[in-house]
Amino acid sequence: MHCRNSDLINAMGRIILVCRYILLIAVPVFLFSCKKDQVTQPQVLISTYSGLSITNAAIGINNLHFFVDNRQVLLPDTLSYGNTEFFTIQNYVYSNVTPYKDISYGYRQLGFIMPGGDNFLVSFNNYFQSGAKYSIFIADTISHGQLKYVLLKDEIGISDSTKTQIRFINLSPDAPAMDVWVFPNAGTYGYKLFSNRPYPVFDYSSIPGSQVFTGIDAGPYYFVATAAGTYNVLLQGGLILPGRGVITIYAKGLLSGTGNNQLDVGVIEFVQ
């Protein structure tokens, strides 16, 4: 078969046009395929703070000053006996106050001192996880021994408009371990909610149980605390539990105390 140069040139021209056409189609498809593979990763905001709730449950100790890394942190209220600090928050949904103070996460030194004092009454180091919440209770009495602290990593569940999350901590140095009974609607029939809660300063094995909140239906309840394993009533009283509530009930004072030092109850409550 004979082929003229002009025919060959025309054929090659057609091939080149076809190739150009294919390239025009293939390049956009390739570019589109590249764009399709580019997946935008969601940005995860990592908190640089931990939340710390501060409660003074030490009998006879008032107006404590709070320090983080040897620098005083000004508190909105006097840290007196039986008091928990609360802080105003912005952009809130259900409540504009919280018991949690933001502190930088990581290893921190916490300390408490009396006004005008030179030495910490309580001082310790702890690693605070980013975004986690903690509660510190100043406990014991100077006359009983020395000031102690109880540090809890709060395990708060998901907010529920029909539930309250609640826990009980026994912070009375001379009281026995306690059971806590609840009576819904202050009725006749109740059940045991917490069992055998000792003074955690003397029994560190009880710390994990004190960190966890238990969810129960919101509504009015009557609470009765008894010496563990008995029906000997030590404390009692009513409380209305709100939906989305987070409540810590703690025993304070002395079983053998009188007046302001007698066995009593403290309540820390907020809505999340």
Side-chain angles (χ1 to χ4, degrees), residues 52-54 84-87 97-101 268-270:
L52 181 65
S53 173
I54 309 165
T84 298
E85 295 294 325
F86 274 81
F87 306 89
V97 294
T98 177
Y100 294 104
K101 170 69 175 175
I268 306 169
E269 176 182 349
F270 70 100

Side-chain angles (χ1 to χ4, degrees), residues 187-205:
T188 305
Y189 299 99
Y191 59 93
K192 187 187 295 184
L193 185 60
F194 303 109
S195 299
N196 194 31
R197 293 300 171 90
Y199 183 52
V201 173
F202 299 153
D203 189 344
Y204 287 102
S205 65

Side-chain angles (χ1 to χ4, degrees), residues 7 36 38 58 63 79 90-91 129 134 138 160-161 165 188 194-195 197 202 212 223 236 251 269:
D7 293 334
K36 189 175 182 181
Q38 292 176 350
N63 197 25
L79 190 54
Q90 297 178 346
N91 302 322
Q129 294 182 2
Y134 299 82
I138 306 303
D160 186 332
S161 61
Q165 298 181 67
T188 305
F194 303 109
S195 299
R197 293 300 171 90
F202 299 153
V212 179
F223 291 82
Q236 57 184 317
E269 176 182 349

Side-chain angles (χ1 to χ4, degrees), residues 57-114:
I59 304 161
I61 302 298
N62 291 299
N63 197 25
L64 285 172
H65 288 180
F66 175 51
F67 286 76
V68 176
D69 297 335
N70 292 315
R71 294 184 178 183
Q72 184 177 356
V73 177
L74 297 179
L75 301 174
D77 200 1
T78 301
L79 190 54
S80 56
Y81 169 59
N83 186 46
T84 298
E85 295 294 325
F86 274 81
F87 306 89
T88 302
I89 55 177
Q90 297 178 346
N91 302 322
Y92 60 89
V93 178
Y94 300 108
S95 175
N96 65 341
V97 294
T98 177
Y100 294 104
K101 170 69 175 175
D102 284 343
I103 63 171
S104 297
Y105 81 98
Y107 283 102
R108 304 267 77 89
Q109 181 192 43
L110 306 186
F112 294 86
I113 195 172
M114 294 289 288

